[in-house]
Amino acid sequence: MNYIFEGVIGAFYLLLAKDPETYSAIWTTLRLSTLSITCTLIVGIPLGFLLGHYNFPGKRAVRTLVDTLLALPTVVIGLLVYAFISRRGPLGDLGLLFTIPGVAIGQFILALPIVVSLTASAIEGIDPKIYLTLRTLGASDMQAALSSMWEGRYAVTAAAVTAYSRVISEVGVSMMIGGNIKWHTRTITTAIALETGKGEFSMGIALGIVLLAFALTANTLVSSLRRRA
Amino acid sequence: MNYIFEGVIGAFYLLLAKDPETYSAIWTTLRLSTLSITCTLIVGIPLGFLLGHYNFPGKRAVRTLVDTLLALPTVVIGLLVYAFISRRGPLGDLGLLFTIPGVAIGQFILALPIVVSLTASAIEGIDPKIYLTLRTLGASDMQAALSSMWEGRYAVTAAAVTAYSRVISEVGVSMMIGGNIKWHTRTITTAIALETGKGEFSMGIALGIVLLAFALTANTLVSSLRRRA
Amino acid sequence: ASQYLMMATTTSTDNTGLLNVIAPAFEKTTKIELRWTAVGTGKALELGKNCDVDVLLVHAPDKEKKFIEEGYGINRREVMYNDFVIIGPRTDPAGIKGLKAIDALKRIKSKKAPFVSRGDNSGTHSMELELWKKANITNIDKEEWYIQTGQGMLNTINIAAERDGYTLTDRGTFIKYEANHNGNPPLVILVEGDQLLFNQYSVIAINPKRCPKVKYDLALKFIEWITSDEGQKLIADFRLMGKQLFVPNAAR
Amino acid sequence: MKNIFRLENIVHRYSERTVLDISKLEIAEGEVVALVGPNGSGKSTLLRILAFLEKPTEGTVFYNGKLVKEPSFTQRREVTLLLQNSPLLRRTVEENVSYGLKMRKDTHNIKERVKRALEMVGLSPEIFAKRKWFELSGGEAQRVALAARLILRPKVILLDEPTASVDSESARIIKEAVFKARDEWGSTLVIVTHDLPWVYQITEKILSLFKGKLINYVPENVLAGDWKPYNDGLLALRLADGQILIGAGSPQSGSLALLDPKDVIICTEMPEEDSALNSILGTITSMSLISESGQVLVKVNAGGKTISSLVTEKSVKNLHLHPGLKVYLHFKASALKWI
Amino acid sequence: MKNIFRLENIVHRYSERTVLDISKLEIAEGEVVALVGPNGSGKSTLLRILAFLEKPTEGTVFYNGKLVKEPSFTQRREVTLLLQNSPLLRRTVEENVSYGLKMRKDTHNIKERVKRALEMVGLSPEIFAKRKWFELSGGEAQRVALAARLILRPKVILLDEPTASVDSESARIIKEAVFKARDEWGSTLVIVTHDLPWVYQITEKILSLFKGKLINYVPENVLAGDWKPYNDGLLALRLADGQILIGAGSPQSGSLALLDPKDVIICTEMPEEDSALNSILGTITSMSLISESGQVLVKVNAGGKTISSLVTEKSVKNLHLHPGLKVYLHFKASALKWI
Ligand SMILES: Nc1ncnc2c1ncn2[C@@H]1O[C@H](COP(=O)(O)OP(=O)(O)OP(=O)(O)O)[C@@H](O)[C@H]1O
Ligand SMILES: Nc1ncnc2c1ncn2[C@@H]1O[C@H](COP(=O)(O)OP(=O)(O)OP(=O)(O)O)[C@@H](O)[C@H]1O
Ligand SMILES: [Mg+2]
Ligand SMILES: [Mg+2]
């Protein structure tokens, strides 16, 4: 119980005293998650639309496959990406190991099924008459796709929020690919894992609260955007 | 690259040769995830309905809070639960630490925001006229809630699938609360983490494939249920 | 610093805080930044095999020798040691206090007292398995009292504390654990000082012949520095709770 | 007769905009009430309040003599509403129709009852019972939704444009079904429709809403336009063909003139000059018999506006009125009511 | 005149059920076509095919003389369809109406054009432009959807029940707006409606669908019921009041009799006996003038069935027909067509 109490106080201390290690981790988390979520949304939302909107043979199978990939553990993603970008892997020359872009690749793989699956569900939930309406008003395929996403914007945002949360709270990929290197690839979550490993439980909780504060900021932004729309 | 190749072969070996350690982990994963997802759905779906359906002051704030809790890292959840159920914690006498029910508590905390948030989105996506229709046909509050969930069944299932995937792929809570104790609380994911830590990367990938096979089975079941409805 | 050196090391060197002292000093002297990833010994060696790091700081002598023999690494130098201790509840239900390591394990087995093993192929785990072997105790994998955690040292100690069990730990981590409990931990040292419980840490440079891209020159500089008087003194002076954690023993 | 609904001082607002303002409204048990009014006049809103789906912003609702604060479950179940463009549930037709009964756990002989309800709205159970909700045409869906209400044999049936997209033959069947409900089960009916001939056929009790207010006129003749001051404090509206309508009174700006069809007399000749008397030339476009009342609703197109007049069958006969005939419409300037 | 649409051998099926079966259909440019038929006869399906939203299961569609396999983007944009119960987009009224123009990147003077489109459907831009999609009544929403189509000034406008839930004054405005489209922009119009008097008013070209097939009769008089064999190979249908309708021909079982209103003669006296001639007593319920054609559609209720007759204004005058009058309807047994 004390951990929690000390953790709360510790969180305030870290944030208010501008602890440089903590701020470095926050900054890394921000850069990393922005990079990975941007890529994921750019690729995932169109794929989710295609999967949710069109009927094609094997659609159910693809859907089941995507849902299955939701269960990919982060460590496994870390291993898979590592196999490719390790120096002896096929992409070793790119020097992506222990870098933020490298971790972003893993987080992309992690978040993509979430975005695809939930966007597809969001699109399926839209009244099919809406799509017909868009077409009768002369929307091109692309315009109709964008507009029907706008019609289902709450559910699409939910997909994005879920994926973003997954990305900032994950530790397996960041640890495996990023290496938790101090000042460089240490994110809030890998810092938490480190502190917990050291037995510094209240520090772990304090950093956890810092992460939640970070997520709260992001969500408040999203929520105020939502309100405007 | 070899890791992946060896991993695939290893997965077949583990499954076909009925490796007892692997099957023990599969069985633990099954028991644990069934317990935690059941509790989560029982609590989370009604809460999600309330949050999605009713308008009340502070609704947006609650929604933002739930979305923020989506970002709770598993290690932090592990720490929080540990603080309560450790022998020196307030619930220490229940002896929940290093047991499956103990881990289930943590996974419940992990999955609950997912179910609540996505169910709320699903409910918000339903044409409000549907709820009115249910009421005009004489449905009680409870019946109308259940029926409107049925109307949004695709999105509600998506919430459940996402939460279940999160539960079976998480490692932080299982490690922290379960202790990854061989033959007892070792799940597929904690086994993966262990093998990876040992440097047995191909074994980690093999176990990852085992987990995916597990998830595929579950999703195929869900998908065939979906088809019937 | 424009140049940096990538090191893979075991969790104990990082968790105790030693590297937080060494890295700045090294950079100050050589203008080379030290970056490290703290993983299990097994994983550290695997990273080395894949040429993903430049240098290793690990503690599993047998595996290290194999690593060198297979040509993955060169220039192995011993750096420091600490020792392993067997810890357990103050009440010591199995009564092992003061015994030799082998006898203590035999006692634990006969009393079926809970023994918590890391079970993760780490240096500590390798040492533990060796001790069981020396005590001629086999087939304990499925015993009710033999708990395998597959986790890091501190978590394993915590599990042992929760279970009122015994475990084998390196002294550094135990001091850290003591510190976490403000010097009054539930588990205390019951067996120490046995010659068998010696824990050697070494540095290894990755073989540039196999891995042309590794920063072999920087790795050599690091090895040279850590085995130098300056490095060795830093290790000797590193203290937690006023206790020394590692004993420098680099051979000249 | 007992009142089933009594509404007092009902005001309903959507974000500051008042859409309903009814000081008193009584509906007797077993009565058939037609609710008419232009788009946006508050008809659907009133039905939602009567169905306890919405609470009025202000005012009190009495149901069956009892003040309703929170409608009880039984109260709610006694009243059913067919929403405007009612959606179907994502189930088969059969499940849609039986839904209400299942919720009531009243499943005795349910297959048979679903069959009969479908037949009541003119849908063949063999063809439609197993169809999915999206495998229906617009009118078919509308009728399934109606069947889902009729099967409940409720005390009060509120229907929001039940025949909007239904073909004429089916409309007839539906009208019959609705009457069956009143005659056999004694249901009270409130029906919103734009089909005025039907309204006149089914009931004498016509509630006419206009901008949220109950008015005493059937809004057959709503004379909107640019009313301008004229001699003697009168107002004038110029029609497209140059004729001038004259009204008395002092309306507020932007208000509309209403003219009760009963106040309009049809003549075949030009009457004497009288400044306060309108006498407008137009062509009869249609004539409809109003059920058994022996009255005929005559619609006349005068300068692009349609003005209706309610005349007796006898005068239709005497005047030899017929569609296409040019006639004069006479009504007093004071017959125009302003709202 | 040039054909804008030519359909050949169109068959459309939903999971094995044939809902449309048209061997040939031509629609000329600038024409106004009314599409009528009972619920489920395939009207909406046909409109979806004309709007290129759906591909017929079999058959070919020519648009503007060209065979359409995959409709080009331009082709699609030239045709707009108002869906039955058209949903609005989850945006403001203004954004709904301007959506099509924005998609065309044609945003010149857009505010003004939105205003005019709203006025065209009788909605005040000041009141409605900023409203959200759900802040509208049923009829208001319907009119916003229509405005969103009219603003595009398309070559072809397909309207699926544009006046279904619209009040009579607004219906008049909409009807005017639709004509403006034809007269000013030369648009081709296809209108689905159950409002038959309107149909007769607007066009001579009436396409009548019945169970997916084009038939040559306006389905005013669909005489469904239990037709039974009678003397001389004729068939008979007993009405509720005991009178008997007689038909000739050999229909398939379950088929319906159609009677063209033009084939029905109204008399005020009982004619001579003739076994092959029907002579049914009924009461006139309504009479409507058919635009400028000088004809009047007279509806007669005979034994619960409504039978329409199309007569000249002159004979209406001569016979002194008026609602409420009892008349005899004469038509040959062979005038009944079976489908
Ligand atoms: N949810 C809402 N929010 C704001 N305004 C609304 C809402 N629902 C309806 N209105 C407005 O309230 C008024 C009354 O609407 P109502 O639906 O009761 O009209 P109605 O008489 O049923 O019209 P119609 O014949 O078109 O169905 C209209 O001006 C409408 O724009
Ligand atoms: N998606 C669908 N799947 C299966 N059957 C359908 C589907 N849509 C329509 N139908 C059926 O096709 C037939 C024609 O439907 P359509 O909507 O074209 O009729 P309609 O003439 O527009 O009728 P209404 O006047 O009721 O709008 C109907 O029998 C209907 O049940
Ligand atoms: Mg309405
Ligand atoms: Mg239709």
Side-chain angles (χ1 to χ4, degrees):
Chain A
M1 285 304 286
N2 282 348
Y3 303 134
I4 299 179
F5 186 65
E6 285 167 20
V8 174
I9 296 184
F12 278 100
Y13 173 80
L14 291 177
L15 287 174
L16 298 182
K18 303 232 163 99
D19 175 61
E21 288 191 25
T22 307
Y23 274 83
S24 159
I26 292 177
W27 177 234
T28 306
T29 304
L30 180 65
R31 282 199 302 158
L32 173 58
S33 61
T34 306
L35 179 61
S36 44
I37 198 71
T38 307
C39 299
T40 312
L41 293 181
I42 289 172
V43 177
I45 290 188
L47 286 180
F49 177 83
L50 295 178
L51 189 55
H53 182 72
Y54 290 101
N55 284 317
F56 50 89
K59 171 173 170 150
R60 261 163 47 86
V62 174
R63 195 65 203 273
T64 306
L65 186 76
V66 172
D67 283 354
T68 301
L69 292 180
L70 284 177
L72 258 182
T74 52
V75 195
V76 175
I77 296 174
L79 284 173
L80 293 175
V81 175
Y82 175 79
F84 280 89
I85 67 172
S86 143
R87 286 244 179 94
R88 314 223 318 168
L91 306 177
D93 289 341
L94 300 179
L96 289 166
L97 194 65
F98 305 131
T99 66
I100 286 182
V103 181
I105 294 173
Q107 294 191 338
F108 170 82
I109 297 174
L110 173 69
L112 192 64
I114 300 178
V115 171
V116 172
S117 170
L118 292 180
T119 304
S121 283
I123 295 298
E124 280 170 352
I126 298 172
D127 183 354
K129 269 184 142 180
I130 284 288
Y131 190 80
L132 288 184
T133 299
L134 298 169
R135 301 285 289 192
T136 62
L137 290 170
S140 67
D141 289 4
M142 178 61 100
Q143 289 171 331
L146 286 175
S147 298
S148 54
M149 232 104 72
W150 179 252
E151 292 297 307
R153 55 192 173 273
Y154 289 101
V156 174
T157 327
V161 167
T162 309
Y164 188 68
S165 306
R166 185 75 184 93
V167 159
I168 60 172
S169 67
E170 79 83 27
V171 60
V173 174
S174 305
M175 200 57 120
M176 183 78 201
I177 307 293
N180 188 24
I181 298 170
K182 200 169 166 182
W183 307 120
H184 293 278
T185 58
R186 179 163 300 169
T187 63
I188 309 180
T189 51
T190 56
I192 293 171
L194 175 66
E195 295 300 333
T196 310
K198 284 196 222 168
E200 302 276 6
F201 291 172
S202 31
M203 186 64 178
I205 287 179
L207 284 165
I209 293 170
V210 168
L211 185 65
L212 286 188
F214 183 89
L216 184 62
T217 315
N219 278 307
T220 309
L221 273 173
V222 170
S223 159
S224 64
L225 283 180
R226 252 190 200 175
R227 178 177 10 209
R228 270 203 235 132
Chain B
M1 285 304 286
N2 282 348
Y3 299 133
I4 299 178
F5 185 66
E6 285 166 21
V8 173
I9 296 184
F12 278 99
Y13 172 80
L14 291 177
L15 287 174
L16 297 182
K18 303 232 163 98
D19 175 62
E21 289 189 24
T22 307
Y23 274 83
S24 159
I26 293 176
W27 177 235
T28 306
T29 304
L30 180 66
R31 281 199 304 160
L32 173 58
S33 60
T34 307
L35 179 61
S36 44
I37 198 69
T38 307
C39 299
T40 312
L41 294 181
I42 288 172
V43 177
I45 290 189
L47 286 179
F49 177 82
L50 295 177
L51 188 55
H53 182 72
Y54 289 101
N55 285 316
F56 50 87
K59 171 174 170 148
R60 260 162 48 84
V62 174
R63 195 64 203 276
T64 306
L65 186 76
V66 172
D67 283 354
T68 300
L69 292 180
L70 284 178
L72 258 181
T74 51
V75 193
V76 175
I77 296 174
L79 284 174
L80 293 175
V81 175
Y82 178 83
F84 280 89
I85 66 172
S86 113
R87 281 223 303 228
R88 308 206 308 166
L91 305 177
D93 291 341
L94 300 180
L96 288 167
L97 197 63
F98 310 131
T99 66
I100 286 184
V103 181
I105 294 173
Q107 294 192 337
F108 170 82
I109 296 173
L110 173 69
L112 191 65
I114 301 178
V115 171
V116 171
S117 171
L118 292 181
T119 304
S121 282
I123 295 296
E124 278 170 354
I126 298 172
D127 182 356
K129 270 184 141 181
I130 285 287
Y131 191 80
L132 289 184
T133 300
L134 298 170
R135 301 285 289 192
T136 61
L137 291 171
S140 67
D141 289 5
M142 179 60 102
Q143 288 171 331
L146 286 175
S147 299
S148 54
M149 232 104 71
W150 180 250
E151 292 297 307
R153 55 192 174 272
Y154 288 100
V156 174
T157 327
V161 167
T162 309
Y164 188 68
S165 307
R166 185 77 184 91
V167 159
I168 60 171
S169 66
E170 79 84 26
V171 61
V173 175
S174 304
M175 200 58 119
M176 185 78 202
I177 307 296
N180 186 25
I181 296 170
K182 197 169 168 185
W183 307 118
H184 294 278
T185 57
R186 180 162 301 169
T187 63
I188 308 181
T189 52
T190 56
I192 294 172
L194 172 62
E195 294 302 332
T196 310
K198 284 191 207 167
E200 303 276 4
F201 293 171
S202 21
M203 186 65 179
I205 288 179
L207 284 165
I209 293 170
V210 168
L211 185 65
L212 285 188
F214 183 89
L216 184 62
T217 315
N219 278 307
T220 309
L221 273 173
V222 170
S223 160
S224 65
L225 283 179
R226 254 190 196 174
R227 170 161 33 195
R228 271 205 234 130
Chain C
S2 53
Q3 302 185 86
Y4 69 88
L5 178 67
M6 190 68 216
M7 174 170 83
T9 180
T10 65
T11 43
S12 52
T13 52
D14 190 25
N15 284 357
T16 51
L18 175 67
L19 291 177
N20 285 331
V21 174
I22 283 181
F26 175 61
E27 185 171 346
K28 207 170 161 201
T29 313
T30 61
K31 303 281 174 280
I32 299 167
E33 182 188 353
L34 179 64
R35 296 184 186 177
W36 70 92
T37 183
V39 294
T41 298
K43 190 168 167 184
L45 292 173
E46 196 72 16
L47 288 174
K49 280 186 195 172
N50 289 333
C51 315
D52 291 320
V53 291
D54 307 315
V55 72
L56 303 175
L57 176 59
V58 288
H59 64 125
D62 293 346
K63 286 183 186 160
E64 289 162 26
K65 277 168 196 150
K66 190 158 160 259
F67 186 82
I68 305 275
E69 276 162 21
E70 287 170 351
Y72 295 117
I74 50 176
N75 254 338
R76 174 173 182 269
R77 292 284 299 277
E78 298 187 332
V79 174
M80 62 193 186
Y81 70 88
N82 65 1
D83 62 343
F84 290 108
V85 292
I86 297 177
I87 58 173
R90 269 176 212 290
T91 50
D92 189 15
I96 64 166
K97 192 170 171 75
L99 295 182
K100 286 273 177 197
I102 302 292
D103 299 332
L105 289 188
K106 283 182 175 156
R107 197 65 168 267
I108 286 170
K109 185 194 179 230
S110 65
K111 293 256 173 176
K112 293 198 187 307
F115 184 91
V116 182
S117 162
R118 280 182 66 172
D120 64 350
N121 277 11
S122 60
T124 313
H125 185 221
S126 309
M127 168 62 72
E128 178 209 317
L129 291 181
E130 202 152 301
L131 291 176
W132 287 114
K133 208 158 114 196
K134 286 187 177 138
N136 275 327
I137 296 174
T138 50
N139 273 335
I140 52 174
D141 180 44
K142 286 197 176 182
E143 295 285 349
E144 198 53 43
W145 56 268
Y146 187 69
I147 300 160
Q148 303 174 63
T149 68
Q151 296 200 58
M153 195 64 250
L154 251 164
N155 284 334
T156 303
I157 297 178
N158 276 318
I159 291 172
E162 290 286 343
R163 285 289 167 95
D164 268 339
Y166 297 88
T167 191
L168 179 78
T169 172
D170 62 288
R171 189 181 291 274
T173 307
F174 179 75
I175 292 173
K176 176 74 190 153
Y177 171 73
E178 252 186 330
N180 288 345
H181 286 272
N182 302 320
N184 186 24
L187 299 185
V188 294
I189 295 177
L190 298 170
V191 174
E192 62 185 326
D194 189 327
Q195 274 303 309
L196 285 176
L197 297 178
F198 186 71
N199 183 20
Q200 179 65 50
Y201 287 80
S202 318
V203 280
I204 305 174
I206 301 304
N207 188 349
K209 293 215 180 76
R210 283 195 70 261
C211 302
K213 285 201 170 172
V214 293
K215 297 168 181 158
Y216 180 61
D217 49 338
L218 301 189
L220 286 185
K221 275 195 186 144
F222 177 70
I223 292 173
E224 194 175 307
W225 177 83
I226 193 126
T227 53
S228 73
D229 288 342
E230 185 190 351
Q232 295 281 299
K233 182 164 185 311
L234 265 177
I235 293 169
D237 289 348
F238 179 68
R239 288 209 161 31
L240 201 61
M241 301 287 294
K243 293 181 183 162
Q244 181 176 355
L245 269 74
F246 300 98
V247 183
N249 68 340
R252 284 301 120 104
Chain D
M1 237 191 314
K2 221 176 83 187
N3 279 338
I4 190 125
F5 282 110
R6 199 167 89 238
L7 271 60
E8 282 177 8
N9 303 316
I10 295 291
V11 176
H12 196 68
R13 295 195 195 89
Y14 288 117
S15 48
E16 304 302 295
R17 210 175 334 112
T18 303
V19 300
L20 210 56
D21 182 357
I22 295 176
S23 57
K24 195 170 157 205
L25 171 61
E26 291 180 343
I27 295 174
E29 195 165 347
E31 204 173 18
V32 176
V33 178
L35 184 56
V36 299
N39 292 143
S41 55
K43 305 180 296 297
S44 301
T45 308
L46 179 55
L47 288 197
R48 279 198 298 272
I49 290 174
L50 293 179
F52 310 121
L53 288 179
E54 218 157 329
K55 259 202 206 166
T57 319
E58 288 172 22
T60 44
V61 176
F62 293 87
Y63 175 75
N64 233 336
K66 282 200 236 33
L67 175 69
V68 181
K69 276 189 181 151
E70 273 307 322
S72 78
F73 194 38
T74 340
Q75 286 173 334
R76 280 216 301 106
R77 282 206 165 162
E78 285 175 6
V79 181
T80 188
L81 162 64
L82 177 70
L83 293 168
Q84 196 170 10
N85 297 331
S86 183
L88 292 182
L89 309 179
R90 298 186 161 207
R91 309 166 180 227
T92 63
V93 166
E94 195 168 30
E95 287 166 338
N96 262 284
V97 176
S98 60
Y99 180 84
L101 290 181
K102 283 196 187 138
M103 291 304 110
R104 288 165 173 78
K105 309 246 180 324
D106 174 11
T107 53
H108 169 71
N109 204 8
I110 196 160
K111 284 244 168 197
E112 193 51 43
R113 285 154 85 188
V114 168
K115 249 189 187 167
R116 265 184 285 141
L118 285 174
E119 278 162 359
M120 249 176 129
V121 296
L123 293 174
S124 149
E126 287 75 40
I127 299 180
F128 289 99
K130 296 295 173 200
R131 291 238 189 130
K132 295 244 179 72
W133 74 100
F134 59 86
E135 296 179 327
L136 298 171
S137 79
E140 288 161 357
Q142 172 82 356
R143 282 144 70 188
V144 170
L146 180 61
R149 276 48 182 201
L150 293 178
I151 202 174
L152 304 174
R153 301 194 171 200
K155 236 179 138 104
V156 180
I157 310 184
L158 311 168
L159 300 176
D160 205 341
E161 311 209 10
T163 58
S165 49
V166 163
D167 64 57
S168 50
E169 177 66 9
S170 311
R172 200 183 52 74
I173 295 175
I174 287 178
K175 290 169 188 177
E176 273 171 23
V178 164
F179 275 105
K180 199 174 148 178
R182 183 196 54 182
D183 297 339
E184 293 190 7
W185 319 327
S187 302
T188 308
L189 290 171
V190 183
I191 304 174
V192 169
T193 181
H194 292 295
D195 180 356
L196 286 172
W198 186 34
V199 166
Y200 290 118
Q201 254 175 55
I202 52 173
T203 181
E204 299 270 285
K205 171 120 183 197
I206 302 176
L207 293 176
S208 184
L209 271 176
F210 199 86
K211 295 191 173 172
K213 293 206 171 74
L214 281 177
I215 55 175
N216 277 322
Y217 299 87
V218 175
E220 266 290 337
N221 299 324
V222 180
L223 300 167
D226 191 15
W227 287 91
K228 286 198 175 127
Y230 192 66
N231 315 338
D232 306 333
L234 297 171
L235 289 125
L237 177 67
R238 180 177 288 267
L239 300 181
D241 61 357
Q243 297 191 81
I244 291 176
L245 288 182
I246 294 167
S250 50
Q252 294 159 280
S253 81
S255 62
L256 300 169
L258 292 180
L259 181 59
D260 191 328
K262 291 195 199 96
D263 291 344
V264 181
I265 296 163
I266 296 189
C267 298
T268 45
E269 277 156 46
M270 181 80 171
E272 283 161 46
E273 191 76 23
D274 177 347
S275 76
L277 190 72
N278 286 288
S279 147
I280 304 291
L281 184 64
T283 309
I284 296 181
T285 56
S286 79
M287 300 161 64
S288 317
L289 188 67
I290 300 309
S291 70
E292 314 306 313
S293 66
Q295 289 198 300
V296 176
L297 188 74
V298 179
K299 294 200 177 190
V300 175
N301 182 338
K305 289 224 180 282
T306 298
I307 300 179
S308 302
S309 163
L310 203 59
V311 296
T312 60
E313 206 184 312
K314 219 170 111 194
S315 39
V316 168
K317 208 149 47 181
N318 292 342
L319 291 170
H320 299 312
L321 301 185
H322 61 85
L325 188 69
K326 292 222 183 299
V327 293
Y328 290 92
L329 298 173
H330 296 207
F331 49 93
K332 294 196 186 143
S334 59
L336 293 178
K337 309 285 170 196
W338 302 94
I339 49 166
Chain E
M1 234 186 317
K2 221 177 81 188
N3 279 337
I4 190 128
F5 281 111
R6 198 168 90 238
L7 272 58
E8 284 176 7
N9 303 316
I10 295 289
V11 176
H12 197 67
R13 296 196 194 90
Y14 288 116
S15 48
E16 306 299 295
R17 214 177 326 115
T18 303
V19 300
L20 210 58
D21 182 356
I22 296 176
S23 57
K24 195 173 157 205
L25 170 62
E26 290 180 344
I27 295 174
E29 196 165 347
E31 202 174 18
V32 176
V33 178
L35 185 56
V36 299
N39 292 144
S41 55
K43 304 181 296 295
S44 302
T45 308
L46 179 55
L47 288 196
R48 280 197 299 272
I49 290 174
L50 293 179
F52 310 121
L53 289 178
E54 217 156 333
K55 261 203 208 164
T57 320
E58 289 171 22
T60 44
V61 177
F62 293 86
Y63 174 75
N64 233 335
K66 281 199 238 31
L67 175 69
V68 180
K69 277 190 180 149
E70 271 308 321
S72 78
F73 195 36
T74 339
Q75 287 174 333
R76 280 218 297 108
R77 282 206 166 160
E78 286 176 5
V79 181
T80 188
L81 162 63
L82 177 72
L83 293 168
Q84 194 171 13
N85 297 328
S86 183
L88 292 182
L89 308 180
R90 298 186 162 207
R91 308 165 181 226
T92 64
V93 167
E94 196 168 29
E95 288 166 335
N96 263 284
V97 176
S98 61
Y99 180 83
L101 289 181
K102 282 195 188 140
M103 291 304 110
R104 287 166 174 77
K105 307 249 179 324
D106 173 10
T107 53
H108 169 72
N109 203 9
I110 197 160
K111 284 243 168 195
E112 192 50 43
R113 286 155 84 188
V114 169
K115 248 188 187 167
R116 266 184 285 139
L118 284 173
E119 277 161 0
M120 249 178 130
V121 296
L123 294 174
S124 150
E126 288 75 41
I127 299 181
F128 289 101
K130 297 295 172 202
R131 291 239 188 129
K132 298 245 179 71
W133 75 98
F134 59 85
E135 297 178 327
L136 298 172
S137 78
E140 288 161 359
Q142 172 82 356
R143 282 144 70 187
V144 170
L146 181 60
R149 274 47 181 203
L150 292 178
I151 202 174
L152 304 174
R153 301 194 171 199
K155 235 178 139 101
V156 181
I157 310 183
L158 311 169
L159 300 175
D160 205 342
E161 310 210 9
T163 57
S165 49
V166 163
D167 64 55
S168 50
E169 177 65 9
S170 311
R172 202 183 51 73
I173 295 174
I174 287 178
K175 290 169 189 177
E176 274 172 20
V178 164
F179 276 106
K180 203 174 145 179
R182 183 197 52 180
D183 297 340
E184 295 190 5
W185 318 327
S187 301
T188 308
L189 290 170
V190 183
I191 303 175
V192 170
T193 181
H194 291 294
D195 180 355
L196 286 173
W198 187 35
V199 167
Y200 289 118
Q201 254 173 55
I202 53 173
T203 181
E204 301 268 285
K205 172 120 181 196
I206 302 176
L207 293 177
S208 185
L209 271 177
F210 199 86
K211 296 191 173 171
K213 293 206 169 75
L214 281 177
I215 54 174
N216 276 321
Y217 298 87
V218 176
E220 265 290 339
N221 299 323
V222 179
L223 300 167
D226 191 16
W227 287 91
K228 285 196 177 133
Y230 193 65
N231 316 338
D232 307 332
L234 297 171
L235 290 124
L237 177 67
R238 179 177 289 268
L239 300 181
D241 62 357
Q243 297 191 82
I244 291 176
L245 289 182
I246 294 168
S250 49
Q252 293 159 280
S253 79
S255 61
L256 301 168
L258 294 179
L259 181 59
D260 192 328
K262 292 196 199 93
D263 290 343
V264 181
I265 297 162
I266 296 187
C267 298
T268 44
E269 276 155 48
M270 181 79 171
E272 281 162 47
E273 193 76 24
D274 177 347
S275 76
L277 188 74
N278 286 288
S279 146
I280 304 290
L281 184 66
T283 310
I284 297 180
T285 54
S286 80
M287 301 161 64
S288 318
L289 188 67
I290 299 308
S291 72
E292 315 305 315
S293 66
Q295 289 198 298
V296 176
L297 187 74
V298 179
K299 292 200 178 191
V300 175
N301 181 337
K305 291 225 181 280
T306 299
I307 300 179
S308 304
S309 163
L310 202 59
V311 294
T312 60
E313 208 185 310
K314 218 171 110 192
S315 40
V316 168
K317 207 148 51 181
N318 291 345
L319 290 170
H320 299 311
L321 299 186
H322 61 83
L325 187 71
K326 291 219 184 304
V327 293
Y328 290 92
L329 299 173
H330 295 207
F331 50 92
K332 292 195 186 143
S334 58
L336 294 178
K337 309 284 169 193
W338 303 94
I339 49 163

